[in-house]
Amino acid sequence: MIVAEGLTKDFRIAERRPGLLGSLSTLLTREYRTVRAVDGISFRLRAGSKTAYIGANGAGKSTTIKMLTGIMTPSSGRCLVNGVEPYRQRRENARSIGVVFGQRSQLWWDLSVPDSFQILRRIYGIPDAVYERNLALYRELLDIDALGTTPVRQLSLGQRMRAEIAASLLHDPKVVFWDEPTIGLDMVLKEAVRTLVNRANAELGTTVLLTSHDLSDISAICDDALVVDGGRVVHEGTLHDLLRRADRRSVVFDHRGGPGARDTVLRIETGLPGATAGLTNEGRIRVDYPADAFTSRHVLGFLLEHFELADCYAPEPDLETVLRQTYRGGVPAARDGGAV
Ligand SMILES: Nc1ncnc2c1ncn2[C@@H]1O[C@H](COP(=O)(O)OP(=O)(O)OP(=O)(O)O)[C@@H](O)[C@H]1O
């Protein structure tokens, strides 16, 4: 289990004055300001859960992960990973976690991938059977042998990320912290990475905390979502609950057999003020309506009364739209189930 209680991190930054004279005077008399990167965050993640840690640039995601992995000490508050305070018991914590920071390498820069793996095998005391099982998986899914004996420093970003991901899972950690793990990976490798982590979770109960600006990573891996904005948690719950916070909902149906498309659109927009309707590429009618003005029951009732609802469904709201709305604050509470 991962617990954060009032977790806070402040950075003290030296102010620089503009211009040459300003730079010189900065050297003599330094002034500092404090940036609060993480602002009293609290959450609990179950063992075996897969949580997306979501937030705009600068929201405080990496800083939180650095505290959870023991790289940084909180300014106040605390966190526990499997009962261990990471920054106090760094070695103990390191044994049970796997880490990927897309922006910086966890591997030895001058060593090849096979050499790095041998070192990790010794450090973690990985049993032969586990090592061979995992290596076979990385051969199959990440084509790890193709990286050869090239030093990590000479690998491309995508090649390095394959090695980083494999290294983070090599010792069957209880928890993986993955911060932007798929940057530089093509679609096939992204898919392989998702398969790997989902398999570790299903077969070994590995807990996953993932940050990614690639929302398809989040949808393919995570069940839960923790959204931060300005260093504070603004949503904690399932990904499904997050999607239900959308301020607009949709219904799609096949209008053929009814009045023409133009009439259908007109009737909907007149009967449901605030809703918009239009033709989809497949020739169906899509109705988008404000969730705070209508319940889905009301919208469906109206549509049933006026049209033959062939092939009707309610598409899930788009995660990107929900997040844009969540980051700017003020999210209306979900009114009803939404699904048809
Ligand atoms: N070492 C540091 N010194 C000073 N300020 C820092 C430091 N690390 C992070 N910050 C500041 O803390 C805030 C949060 O940064 P953080 O890297 O945690 O954000 P993030 O959510 O991971 O962003 P991104 O999605 O862009 O990676 C930002 O304002 C950043 O400038």
Side-chain angles (χ1 to χ4, degrees), residues 11 13 35 37 55-64 66 72 179-180 213:
F11 291 109
I13 300 175
V35 171
N57 289 133
K61 304 178 298 292
S62 297
T63 307
T64 308
K66 283 176 187 162
M72 270 182 191
D179 191 356
E180 295 292 343
H213 289 293

Side-chain angles (χ1 to χ4, degrees), residues 18-322:
L20 188 61
L21 273 178
S23 299
L24 286 174
S25 71
T26 302
L27 285 176
L28 299 172
T29 52
R30 290 211 160 212
E31 283 173 19
Y32 293 90
R33 76 187 158 93
T34 302
V35 171
R36 179 152 289 186
V38 175
D39 191 3
I41 281 181
S42 300
F43 56 80
R44 270 168 190 270
L45 309 182
R46 280 173 298 108
S49 57
K50 294 187 287 182
T51 307
Y53 196 34
I54 309 174
N57 289 133
K61 304 178 298 292
S62 297
T63 307
T64 308
I65 292 190
K66 283 176 187 162
M67 292 188 274
L68 292 170
T69 51
I71 295 172
M72 270 182 191
T73 305
S75 306
S76 62
R78 65 172 199 152
C79 56
L80 290 173
V81 176
N82 299 317
V84 165
E85 251 184 308
Y87 32 88
R88 289 190 210 283
Q89 295 147 278
R90 284 187 69 158
R91 199 172 282 201
E92 214 175 325
N93 186 50
R95 288 199 170 277
S96 69
I97 66 171
V99 181
V100 172
F101 282 109
Q103 310 292 349
R104 63 184 228 194
S105 182
Q106 306 296 302
L107 297 167
W108 289 270
W109 216 225
D110 294 315
L111 298 186
S112 68
V113 172
D115 287 346
S116 298
F117 281 12
Q118 284 303 335
I119 294 180
L120 291 171
R121 185 181 193 171
R122 293 240 184 100
I123 290 178
Y124 290 114
I126 304 172
D128 291 350
V130 171
Y131 186 81
E132 294 305 334
R133 185 241 290 146
N134 286 342
L135 208 56
L137 209 53
Y138 307 149
R139 285 191 173 118
E140 180 196 331
L141 290 172
L142 300 176
D143 196 13
I144 207 83
D145 286 342
L147 304 182
T149 53
T150 310
V152 168
R153 68 163 69 249
Q154 287 170 9
L155 295 177
S156 74
L157 175 61
Q159 289 169 334
R160 177 173 72 75
M161 290 313 292
R162 279 150 67 190
E164 301 274 354
I165 281 156
S168 77
L169 292 169
L170 197 60
H171 54 299
D172 283 353
K174 285 190 189 145
V175 182
V176 290
F177 295 103
W178 278 5
D179 191 356
E180 295 292 343
T182 60
I183 51 171
L185 296 184
D186 62 37
M187 277 318 297
V188 175
L189 280 162
K190 275 189 186 185
E191 192 53 47
V193 164
R194 295 166 185 171
T195 304
L196 261 181
V197 77
N198 283 335
R199 242 163 112 159
N201 173 264
E203 291 170 12
L204 307 169
T206 312
T207 308
V208 180
L209 186 63
L210 168 82
T211 80
S212 180
H213 289 293
D214 183 334
L215 299 182
S216 54
D217 279 348
I218 289 173
S219 307
I221 297 172
C222 300
D223 306 312
D224 295 330
L226 200 58
V227 184
V228 279
D229 195 19
R232 295 182 173 202
V233 174
V234 292
H235 171 86
E236 182 181 4
T238 63
L239 204 50
H240 181 70
D241 284 344
L242 178 63
L243 291 173
R244 286 192 43 189
R245 297 176 74 172
D247 59 6
R248 289 185 79 81
R249 306 270 174 87
S250 309
V251 179
V252 178
F253 66 95
D254 196 334
H255 75 296
R256 278 163 281 190
R262 202 195 276 181
D263 267 1
T264 306
V265 166
L266 196 66
R267 261 197 229 176
I268 292 170
E269 293 187 349
T270 313
L272 299 170
T276 53
L279 262 187
T280 68
N281 290 340
E282 296 79 37
R284 294 189 168 89
I285 297 285
R286 179 184 175 111
V287 185
D288 292 308
Y289 60 94
D292 60 347
F294 303 112
T295 61
S296 54
R297 183 190 289 260
H298 181 103
V299 172
L300 272 182
F302 174 86
L303 296 176
L304 274 168
E305 198 180 314
H306 293 88
F307 311 102
E308 299 263 327
L309 288 197
D311 230 359
C312 176
Y313 64 94
E316 275 231 309
D318 168 49
L319 181 56
E320 190 177 325
T321 312
V322 176

